[in-house]
Amino acid sequence: MNKQIFNIPNGITLLRMAGTLCLLFLRPLTPLFFVLYTFTGLTDVLDGWTARRMGAVSELGAKLDSMADLAFYAVVLIKLVPILWGMVPAEIWYAVTAILVLRLSSYLVAAVKYRKFASLHTYLNKLTGAVVFLIPYFLTTGYAALYCWVACAVAAAAAWEELVIHLRSQTYLANTKSILGKG
């Protein structure tokens, strides 16, 4: 782990945080919103990739990334849930609630077992992030509800996978890539 505080990957993460803050002040689904939204998504991918390529992976960088992710999700919820609320059927909201309960159950199991917050970096979790990230792009099409069902299916599979991994594992496996492998 690199202990350097100010580095390029952390700078990219800070750019994502700034972009996320700016999203708060934009009207959703406008061209400028999509440009900035896309920028924040690209910087989310780029900061981790850059950190690994430069050998600049750090605990601070991981914490900044998690903070940036939480801020981004909060802003997206604030901006897009009111739009989604009127566009998708109530059953999707029931599915989202069930997925959140499953995800929180996974976090609770991990907290009890490992005595810390534990979110795994599985392929399904990464796929879930990508699929959920794409939702706004489908809101301007006639396929918003169908795509939200796809997102729910992927998110449910990822949440279930993570819960199973936590239940089966004796130690915290941060970089687990699949339900059967250890990373």
Side-chain angles (χ1 to χ4, degrees), residues 164-178:
V164 169
I165 291 169
H166 284 315
L167 288 170
R168 291 176 62 195
S169 175
Q170 297 303 313
T171 59
Y172 176 53
L173 304 169
N175 292 314
T176 299
K177 298 299 181 193
S178 72

Side-chain angles (χ1 to χ4, degrees), residues 7 13 29 35 47 75 80 88 93 103 109 164-165 173 175:
N7 59 31
T13 303
L29 309 182
V35 167
D47 63 357
V75 168
L80 297 180
V88 298
W93 296 108
R103 180 68 65 184
V109 166
V164 169
I165 291 169
L173 304 169
N175 292 314

Side-chain angles (χ1 to χ4, degrees), residues 8-137:
I8 292 171
N10 290 351
I12 294 170
T13 303
L14 292 173
L15 280 174
R16 182 163 94 243
M17 291 173 139
T20 297
L21 182 63
C22 291
L23 282 173
L24 263 177
F25 302 100
L26 297 177
R27 194 164 47 102
L29 309 182
T30 61
L32 185 55
F33 177 88
F34 280 119
V35 167
L36 197 53
Y37 183 83
T38 302
F39 170 79
T40 60
L42 292 174
T43 56
D44 187 18
V45 173
L46 190 59
D47 63 357
W49 180 83
T50 304
R52 287 185 295 281
R53 295 282 289 179
M54 294 179 70
V57 173
S58 68
E59 193 170 322
L60 173 65
K63 286 180 182 179
L64 281 174
D65 185 60
S66 293
M67 288 172 30
D69 287 345
L70 286 173
F72 177 76
Y73 291 132
V75 168
V76 168
L77 286 172
I78 290 166
K79 299 303 272 187
L80 297 180
V81 165
I83 294 167
L84 280 165
W85 193 257
M87 292 182 84
V88 298
E91 293 82 9
I92 287 179
W93 296 108
Y94 300 138
V96 167
T97 301
I99 293 163
L100 289 173
V101 167
L102 189 59
R103 180 68 65 184
L104 291 172
S105 298
S106 175
Y107 293 153
L108 180 62
V109 166
V112 169
K113 255 182 129 165
Y114 315 128
R115 305 228 187 281
K116 69 179 192 175
F117 175 78
S119 179
L120 301 179
H121 295 275
T122 65
Y123 291 131
L124 275 177
N125 278 340
K126 290 180 184 298
L127 179 61
T128 298
V131 169
V132 169
F133 178 80
L134 292 175
I135 288 173
Y137 300 101

